Each structure stands twice: as C-alpha cells, then as structure tokens.
Amino acid sequence: MSPRLQARLRHQRPDFTLEVDLDLPGQGVTVLFGPSGCGKTTLLRCLAGLESASGHITVAGETWLDDHSRRPVHQRPLAYVFQEASLFPHLSVTGNLHYGYRRTPRRLRQIHPPQVEAWLGLETLRERFPHQLSGGQRQRVAIARALLTSPQLLLMDEPLSALDQASKQDILPYLERLHRELAIPVLYVTHSPEEMARLADHLVVMADGRVRAQGSLTELLPRLDLPVTSAQEVGVVIDATLAAEDADWHLSRADFNGGALWLPTPTRPLGSPLRLRVLARDVSLARQPHHDQSIQNLLPATVVSVDSDHHPAMALVRLALADTPLLARLTRRAADQLNLTPGQQLWAQVKSVAIVD
C-alpha cells in the first residue's frame, strides 16, 4: 500500500481560521468539496508551503512540516495546477513540457514526456504554440508540464473552471485516464458535482475552515447530512464492469455488486471498469416488477430508511442493492401510498438515460 498523505494544519488570519486533520490515500484523486470561502484553496497553499501553517505534513513517508522544521516551497516535491494554464508563450508544446523535465535531476525522473503525451493526448500538438491551442488543450499541456517534474503530490485548484462546457467535456476523459495511471496522490478542488462524480476516489467535505467528513466517494455521496450536492443532483456513484453488449439496440450491460444496469454502449472494450452515476430523481419504486413500461432497469432493492428532503413535499428513500447503496427521490404522498418501511423488499426502476459514465 502506498504511504498515506497526512496533514494536521492550523492557519490563522484575522477573518478566517483553517483547522484540518486529514488522513488520505497515497494514490488516487481526493476531491476537496465545499462552498466558496470554506478553505479549500488555503489548504492547498498550506500544503505547498505558499501559506504559513503550524502542525504536521507527511507525504510519501517524508515529513514536510512538524514542530521542529518546515521545508521551503522549492524543497517540497509537488506540482501545482492553477485555474489558468500560464504556459510560456514563446515556447512550443514540446518546449513547455521539457522546461520542468530538464530541471528535474535524472535520478528523480519517474515520469517521462512520451508517457504524459499519451495520457493527455498531446502527440499531435508538439509543435504548436500556446496561442494555437484551445483552452482545454492549453490546460492539458499545463497538467503535463506539472507531471514532468515527477512530483510526489499533485495539487489541482479548479483546473477546469476557466473552460467552457465543451472544453470541459473534452478534457474530462483525459483526467479520468490520468487518475487511473498516476501512482501519487492528487488533491483536486472543484465546485462541480460532475467532476467530483467522475474523478474522485476519495472525498473531503469542508465548511468554515473545517473538515465535515472524509472517506471514499461511494461512502460519502449518499449521505444526506452532507452538503455535497443540491437536491436535484443528489445520487450515488456505482463502480461497475462492462459485461455484455446488445448490438441490435446499441445497449450494454454493466454488472456491479448488487445487480446490473443497461446503458447506451460506451466506446470501451468488454471487461472495462465503468463509473456510473445514478441521480435519485431518476429512480422510482414499485411493489411488483412491471415489464409493460419503458424503464429497462428493474432491480430488487431493500428499503434502508425514509428521510426528509429539502422540500416538504418530497422524501429521500435510501435503498440497498446488496452492498451497493441507491437513493430515490419521491413525493411524500408516493412514499406514503407505498407504505415504505425499513427492511421492505421492492423494485427500483432506473432510467438508462440517467446513468452517466
């Protein structure tokens, strides 16, 4: 198991106090999520050494901060990706990529240009200059340049926030691939539920300079006491495997621990891992399986609890598909008509179009 990233930090300003205690995996993407002003960027800057803080930081088994010493910024082996790409305008893509790579001692080089070019789809862009790139392409080059310093920690502060929606959709698949390839921890700040659902392995929910919760995405996302998503966006993420295809209908079956879901066939080979997002508003419930309807996904489910929603007319029903959680957002009238109680067995109906890979 990779050494963990541990940080116990206190940072004081006249109008704000950051006080956090983190114990994060040493690999994968940890998303920092919370409202503006809650301390996400301040936390990244403290980890980087750009803001002073007291406490303790350990990364990859090395101590960066404790009661007796504080590593300066230039001695912390990390990379920081900001909202703006900030490429060198007089250098080509290759020149930008090699800028940090050449300044990294040979013995410390763990990541090399051909790797990041393949991960981020830059092979055809090598000779272009920044003014010849789209916003999404510039940000991919910025991420690649950061990785070529072979960091032990990658910090990403809302790297897609300056991009339009089309550019975001262009770059997200590359980031998904990147987080599968990297063997270092990535801390990723975002306000986007879609980015969180697609990229996060681990989630840290922050508010008022404190950590409200930290844990795996699948564990925290269904929690109703955390301000992770709006009422319309509340749902779950399911890790599945692409198991079968129906060529006549262009549908594929994704299997997971607790059942299977049909969805439009993705451009991936059979056996590929899939991450599926199912919104509570797109799940309905029935006492019996109804096959004379348009909804294709009928899953046996157990009621775990019936909870209040933000709107008094609505209820959130927590369900279990074996060990996989599911949420359904119903009117309270419908929940009452079904006489929902914990332990009750029924059928969850999930629209295929509501499943997001």
Side-chain angles (χ1 to χ4, degrees):
M1 181 179 295
S2 302
R4 300 181 70 81
L5 188 164
Q6 296 174 313
R8 188 182 67 257
L9 296 171
R10 179 179 174 83
H11 170 78
Q12 183 74 53
R13 295 201 298 258
D15 60 341
F16 179 77
T17 299
L18 175 77
E19 195 163 9
V20 299
D21 191 349
L22 297 174
D23 185 5
L24 306 177
Q27 185 173 345
V29 176
T30 294
V31 164
L32 304 181
F33 200 84
S36 296
C38 72
K40 302 184 297 296
T41 295
T42 300
L43 172 55
L44 292 194
R45 291 178 61 83
C46 288
L47 289 169
L50 299 172
E51 299 274 2
S52 61
S54 59
H56 187 91
I57 301 174
T58 301
V59 180
E62 298 181 0
T63 299
W64 292 6
L65 175 71
D66 61 18
D67 294 337
H68 308 290
S69 63
R70 178 180 183 273
R71 278 197 191 185
V73 178
H74 66 278
Q75 292 182 3
R76 300 188 185 196
L78 61 84
Y80 204 133
V81 179
F82 298 91
Q83 296 178 15
E84 298 291 342
S86 300
L87 302 178
F88 296 114
H90 63 290
L91 296 179
S92 66
V93 168
T94 295
N96 271 280
L97 295 185
H98 282 260
Y99 182 85
Y101 182 70
R102 289 170 178 163
R103 285 159 177 77
T104 302
R106 289 182 181 274
R107 62 184 175 81
L108 299 179
R109 293 177 185 173
Q110 301 295 320
I111 300 175
H112 305 282
Q115 289 174 284
V116 294
E117 289 175 359
W119 292 345
L120 291 160
L122 302 177
E123 298 97 327
T124 62
L125 306 178
R126 295 187 182 107
E127 304 307 315
R128 294 191 192 180
F129 285 81
H131 72 275
Q132 299 171 311
L133 302 175
S134 69
Q137 289 170 338
R138 285 195 296 271
Q139 196 65 313
R140 279 153 52 193
V141 175
I143 295 168
R145 183 179 63 180
L147 289 173
L148 283 170
T149 63
S150 293
Q152 293 179 7
L153 172 64
L154 177 60
L155 306 176
M156 306 182 77
D157 192 359
E158 297 193 70
L160 307 189
S161 65
L163 304 179
D164 58 35
Q165 190 61 31
S167 297
K168 289 181 182 180
Q169 294 305 316
D170 174 65
I171 196 174
L172 272 170
Y174 292 103
L175 295 183
E176 288 177 316
R177 179 176 183 180
L178 193 66
H179 105 267
R180 293 193 297 267
E181 299 283 355
L182 289 178
I184 61 172
V186 179
L187 264 62
Y188 188 103
V189 170
T190 183
H191 288 96
S192 166
E194 180 186 8
E195 291 174 43
M196 174 184 65
R198 291 182 67 165
L199 299 177
D201 302 300
H202 200 80
L203 184 62
V204 174
V205 183
M206 296 185 63
D208 301 321
R210 305 291 194 275
V211 173
R212 287 280 306 276
Q214 57 183 308
S216 70
L217 178 70
T218 53
E219 170 194 349
L220 295 189
L221 196 57
R223 281 183 52 177
L224 307 179
D225 60 322
L226 297 175
V228 177
T229 54
S230 67
Q232 290 299 314
E233 294 293 323
V234 68
V236 300
V237 168
I238 298 174
D239 290 319
T241 301
L242 189 61
E245 293 183 1
D246 187 324
D248 292 336
W249 300 108
H250 303 285
L251 295 174
S252 292
R253 193 188 78 232
D255 292 352
F256 62 93
N257 183 17
L261 291 165
W262 287 95
L263 66 155
T265 296
T267 55
R268 298 189 188 183
L270 289 178
S272 297
L274 293 176
R275 175 170 284 190
L276 309 176
R277 185 179 180 208
V278 182
L279 301 180
R281 69 187 185 198
D282 292 314
V283 178
S284 61
L285 302 178
R287 287 184 173 275
Q288 302 293 330
H290 297 283
H291 298 285
D292 55 343
Q293 58 164 334
S294 63
I295 297 176
Q296 297 295 295
N297 292 309
L298 305 176
L299 300 168
T302 303
V303 176
V304 176
S305 64
V306 181
D307 300 296
S308 299
D309 185 77
H310 298 290
H311 195 284
M314 308 300 292
L316 275 171
V317 184
R318 187 186 300 276
L319 304 161
L321 310 173
D323 295 327
T324 299
L326 187 69
L327 292 175
R329 190 168 189 250
L330 314 175
T331 64
R332 297 195 67 84
R333 179 183 182 186
D336 186 64
Q337 288 174 338
L338 290 170
N339 193 26
L340 297 180
T341 56
Q344 182 179 355
Q345 305 292 312
L346 39 65
W347 291 85
Q349 305 171 134
V350 183
K351 297 179 182 178
S352 293
V353 293
I355 302 166
V356 181
D357 173 26

